[in-house]
């Protein structure tokens, strides 16, 4: 069979990794794919650097637009990133009948509906294994491996930067800012880390997973997104004492009223396998009605792990090239022409999400405070699962500035409740004169 | 598109689970598959019980042979098990041009070469996701998701019964026999548990994974198999003190001299994620040159987890039915007509395996014993990684019968060495007069 011919757009870290792995493992990959895979042309604004990476055997151009319409190219790999030119190039490649492989989660989470519809019209594949959790084949597992299941929820550590930061904060007892700085020096965090630390990158990824899991459109604009910048050391320590770890989790959950889609710091029982995922590693847990709980773990970023996913998509395409589009796996797992009778479930607003909570209040160390707070919770129908009170002398480490009166930290774990209900109760507690400073609230998931 | 029609052979636990999940999730599965999946006929020797499970809408026959040649059947699911009639039926189904789905690891590990060759000749698929690690889509992950990688090793907890037993022995400090009895009462172990506790079931599975990972034929007869029946409580406890857990591991490793293929109790660093896999759960770790270490975790047995894998195979087949065989994923990952220049690497005899070891010797508590043993190791070129000596009073718990002289337990962890070299040294140590009773030897893998 003839080799499949690739146009690679953007040869940065992942592009270079893809080129190198394809070259190094050429023989094994072609024995598995049943045909060779040739990078025929590379487009990069920095043609000089591209030339250094690919050597003299591969054509290098600076204009990516010239590649997407070329009749000698079968597949376009888009590794430029962002929503602008990348969207334009992906749509142009589809329009000219080419399959597309992309690692661009931002693009697909925001413009996925448009892009996947265009691909379906033209009968081409848009593959994106590399867009979620790097080298972990989670898209394939969820879309094909667990196809028998009614998925109940997906929860994942899908941003390595934030998991590295949280691991270091816990291990070394450091503050967020100190660890962020260190992560930047080590290359685990970008110079502008906003997308990572504010949870946006994780939200792009969980948006894609929610669409695959539940047959809903990609709806990044409906995702609730909260990052890790407001996390404090004492909460990591208290969580530990209560048997939990704090992780930045992407959660997509099916409920009777709709789909929960959210990213936020989350207490997870320390005994769950995912709680032991440390450093820059990623892991995704999927709960299906037939299979039960499954977990997928690996490197979520980096040149070669991401290249591993890009090439897996290439081989899938190489196998199916020339076959009828009906033989393809649908981009978001469900066939467009097999819609159910009812509309897809809505993404719930955050106030309708049901979860449990950790709250920490710095309170005046005086009689009656605990009773007042717990009765405000009880009045709202929120039941307490666990309670921890730390004497003033134990918490001086954490107090900001000088305490003017005896203080204590009150930590409460609640059972499940509606977020709107919890917020209303929290507001009342916050207004108590005996509550000093802002209450810390972190969501909690049992993941069982 | 017309529904795909299935003949189900054998409706025991997994067969009933498959029927029920297909029925319960009918709508979601057909929306994903792009067509309906109909169980058209069920064959079981106990037709009465089969009828109770499937109701009146499905044809029930007692003769499985009558099903495999029927022109109205597209796919045969073989859930009979064993090497005898199952082999005959699978080959007959292939011969009449049907795709086959099977959960039968024993059959494929022993007769896979014959069966896959027959399927390739007829251009049909023999799918077996359910044969390894139940609901975990590990065959798909390794064969498709990690296709870019030169796999370095695969290591897995792929037998739930033995992992349950080892977890209980550790947690509750019980002996093997006591836990086995309990596992049998709970239904985690069969009345005749030989296949599980002697490591044979795990060896079937790692044989299949080794073929996918390295492009070698299935060679169950070349696998080294050692079960957990000789494990003792004190070793589990000493391992713990040294920072390790003991798991029954299937290991397939590529080395310069050939492929290691082995099942045995193994010390694993407690900090590795797989060391925390408890109870009847399964997990497989795959190390690839591009992706690094990835892990896949879930239920390795049971009606619905296994059904989840059977149905995933059915949907893959439903999608590809009618497509040319060149669009299929090769059964063992590699295309037969794309052989490399050199022959596939051989499976190494156990004496040529390179690993590290835990050894425990009950020794007379007298001067010079330690020096004698360590110099025997040094003479053989085996270096010591860690050493633990337990005073006699600490080990009385574990001593069998009355000690006639002061004794102590000497525990040594070695660095990597050839098994043949280690065995020779062990034999010399065993013959020392100061060594009382049989030396315990357990292999150790760092899995990094």
């Amino acid at each position: 069979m003839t080799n499949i011919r690739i146009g690679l757009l953007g040869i940065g870290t992942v592009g270079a990794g893809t080129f190198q792995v394809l070259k190094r493992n050429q023989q094994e990959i072609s024995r598995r794919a049943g045909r060779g895979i040739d990078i025929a042309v590379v487009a990069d604004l920095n043609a000089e650097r591209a030339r250094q990476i690919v050597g003299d055997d591969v054509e290098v151009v600076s204009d990516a637009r010239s590649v997407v319409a070329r009749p000698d190219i079968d597949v376009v790999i888009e590794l430029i990133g962002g929503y602008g030119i990348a969207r334009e190039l992906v749509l142009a490649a589809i329009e000219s009948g080419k399959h597309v492989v992309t690692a661009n989660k931002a693009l697909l989470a925001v413009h996925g509906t448009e892009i996947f519809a265009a691909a379906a019209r033209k009968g081409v594949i848009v593959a994106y294994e590399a867009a979620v959790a790097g080298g972990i084949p989670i898209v394939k597992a969820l879309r094909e491996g667990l196809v028998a299941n009614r998925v109940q929820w997906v929860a994942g550590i899908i941003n390595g930067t934030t998991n590295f930061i949280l691991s270091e904060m816990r291990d070394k007892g450091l503050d967020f800012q100190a660890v962020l700085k260190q992560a930047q020096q080590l290359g685990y965090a970008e110079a502008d880390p906003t997308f990572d630390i504010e949870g946006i990158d994780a939200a792009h990824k969980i948006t894609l997973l929610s669409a695959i899991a539940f047959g809903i459109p990609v709806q990044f604009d409906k995702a609730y997104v909260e990052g890790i910048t407001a996390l404090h050391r004492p909460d990591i320590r208290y969580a530990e004492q209560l048997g939990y770890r704090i992780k930045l989790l992407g959660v997509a959950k099916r409920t009777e009223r709709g789909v929960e889609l959210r990213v936020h710091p989350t207490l997870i029982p320390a005994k769950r396998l995912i709680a032991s995922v440390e450093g820059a590693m990623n892991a995704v847990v999927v709960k299906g009605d037939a299979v039960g709980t499954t977990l997928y773990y690996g490197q979520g970023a980096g040149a070669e792990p991401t290249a591993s996913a890009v090439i897996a998509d290439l081989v899938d395409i190489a196998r199916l090239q020339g076959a009828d589009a009906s033989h393809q796996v649908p981009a978001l797992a469900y066939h467009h022409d097999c819609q159910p009778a009812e509309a897809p479930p809505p993404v719930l607003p955050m106030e309708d999400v049901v979860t449990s909570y950790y709250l920490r209040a710095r309170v005046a160390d005086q009689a009656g405070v605990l009773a007042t707070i717990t009765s405000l919770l009880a009045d709202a129908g929120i039941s307490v699962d666990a309670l921890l009170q730390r004497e003033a002398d134990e918490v001086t480490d954490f107090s900001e500035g000088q305490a003017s009166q005896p203080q204590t930290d009150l930590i409460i774990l609640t059972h499940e409740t509606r977020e709107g209900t919890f917020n209303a109760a929290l507001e009342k507690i916050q207004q108590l004169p005996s509550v000093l400073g802002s209450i810390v609230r972190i969501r909690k998931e049992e993941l069982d």
Side-chain angles (χ1 to χ4, degrees), chain A:
Chain A
M1 203 180 266
T2 58
N3 289 0
I4 192 163
R5 289 172 60 83
I6 314 292
L8 174 59
L9 314 184
I11 189 154
T13 308
V14 175
T18 302
F19 183 82
Q20 275 141 16
V21 174
L22 271 175
K23 194 169 168 183
R24 186 174 73 229
N25 294 344
Q26 193 172 24
Q27 198 204 16
E28 291 211 35
I29 293 169
S30 63
R31 281 180 64 209
R32 289 172 176 143
R35 59 197 295 200
I37 295 174
D38 289 343
I39 304 247
V41 55
V42 171
D44 200 292
L45 287 177
N46 190 338
E48 190 55 42
R49 195 196 47 187
R51 170 65 61 209
Q52 280 169 14
I53 295 167
V54 301
D56 291 331
D57 298 339
V58 178
E59 188 184 342
V60 172
V61 299
S62 56
D63 179 18
R65 285 189 185 83
S66 71
V67 172
V68 294
R70 273 172 58 161
D72 64 326
I73 295 298
D74 303 308
V75 183
V76 166
I77 306 181
E78 183 277 304
L79 296 174
I80 293 169
Y83 312 98
I85 178 78
R87 173 176 159 273
E88 191 187 315
L89 290 166
V90 164
L91 287 171
I94 292 168
E95 209 46 50
S96 68
K98 301 192 187 331
H99 302 292
V100 174
V101 175
T102 178
N104 193 333
K105 44 240 154 202
L107 176 65
L108 294 180
V110 174
H111 297 289
T113 302
E114 176 188 22
I115 288 167
F116 294 130
R121 274 196 305 275
K122 296 293 286 189
V124 298
I125 297 170
V126 172
Y128 56 94
E129 183 63 81
V132 185
I136 308 171
I138 182 62
V139 170
K140 188 173 278 286
L142 189 55
R143 206 170 59 164
E144 303 173 40
L146 303 181
V147 73
N149 291 268
R150 192 171 164 85
V151 176
Q152 293 162 335
W153 50 262
V154 180
I157 296 172
I158 44 183
N159 180 275
T161 305
T162 44
N163 202 54
F164 173 83
I165 292 173
L166 294 177
S167 298
E168 291 288 293
M169 285 175 73
R170 184 177 80 90
D171 279 4
K172 304 191 176 152
L174 294 173
D175 276 326
F176 171 77
Q177 286 299 341
V179 181
L180 175 60
K181 207 168 192 178
Q182 179 199 343
Q184 285 171 319
Q185 282 159 358
L186 289 169
Y188 284 127
E190 314 254 350
D192 177 0
T194 312
F195 258 47
D196 293 318
I197 62 177
E198 297 294 356
I200 300 163
D201 175 72
H204 288 146
K205 294 166 180 166
I206 196 69
T207 295
L208 287 169
L209 294 179
S210 75
I212 302 171
F214 307 128
I216 60 174
V218 287
Q219 296 165 82
F220 172 68
D221 56 326
K222 302 252 175 75
Y224 173 82
V225 191
E226 181 182 318
I228 62 166
T229 54
L231 274 184
H232 299 295
R233 273 190 297 161
D235 298 305
I236 291 173
R237 193 168 122 182
Y238 288 140
E240 196 87 8
Q241 290 168 7
L242 290 158
Y244 291 84
R245 299 263 170 91
I246 300 178
K247 296 289 184 185
L248 183 70
L249 222 59
V251 178
K253 194 180 283 187
R254 189 201 298 255
T255 76
E256 280 178 22
R257 294 151 293 109
V259 170
E260 299 181 359
L261 180 58
R262 46 194 171 99
V263 171
H264 48 69
T266 313
L267 272 77
I268 308 172
K271 65 186 171 198
R272 300 271 178 264
L273 208 55
I274 192 173
S276 300
V277 171
E278 300 292 349
M281 301 302 282
N282 281 18
V284 179
V285 182
V286 181
K287 173 88 177 270
D289 68 339
V291 76
T293 299
T294 58
L295 176 143
Y296 309 84
Y297 164 88
Q299 290 184 57
E304 294 212 351
T306 312
S308 173
V310 168
I311 295 168
D313 281 345
L314 280 180
V315 171
D316 279 352
I317 289 170
R319 281 205 191 99
L320 283 178
Q321 207 202 8
D324 193 87
S326 68
H327 300 308
Q328 297 168 6
V329 181
L332 292 175
Y334 290 80
H335 279 267
H336 287 284
D337 51 355
C338 303
Q339 288 300 333
E342 66 275 28
V347 173
L348 294 171
M350 196 58 194
E351 63 183 30
D352 285 339
V353 158
V354 172
T355 186
S356 52
Y357 298 88
Y358 161 103
L359 75 81
R360 169 173 62 93
R362 172 66 55 91
V363 297
D365 193 5
Q366 61 197 35
V369 177
L370 181 58
T372 312
I373 291 176
T374 50
S375 53
L376 280 173
L377 289 172
D379 291 348
I382 301 164
S383 59
V384 171
D385 179 33
L387 202 142
L388 188 68
Q389 184 162 345
R390 280 290 179 251
E391 295 304 323
D393 58 359
E394 287 186 82
V395 299
T396 38
D397 283 357
F398 310 135
S399 65
E400 292 130 5
Q402 297 300 314
S404 58
Q405 53 178 312
Q407 301 180 357
T408 184
D409 267 352
L410 182 66
I411 297 103
I412 295 174
L413 299 185
T414 76
H415 284 296
E416 284 197 340
T417 182
R418 218 181 118 265
E419 173 124 346
T421 309
F422 184 76
N423 283 347
L426 202 63
E427 206 169 307
K428 285 186 190 158
I429 297 169
Q430 182 70 73
Q431 282 161 9
L432 295 173
S434 51
V435 170
L436 317 166
S438 291
I439 296 173
V440 170
R441 174 269 299 277
I442 307 173
R443 295 171 191 88
K444 173 167 94 59
E445 292 286 336
E446 290 298 319
L447 300 184
D448 54 1

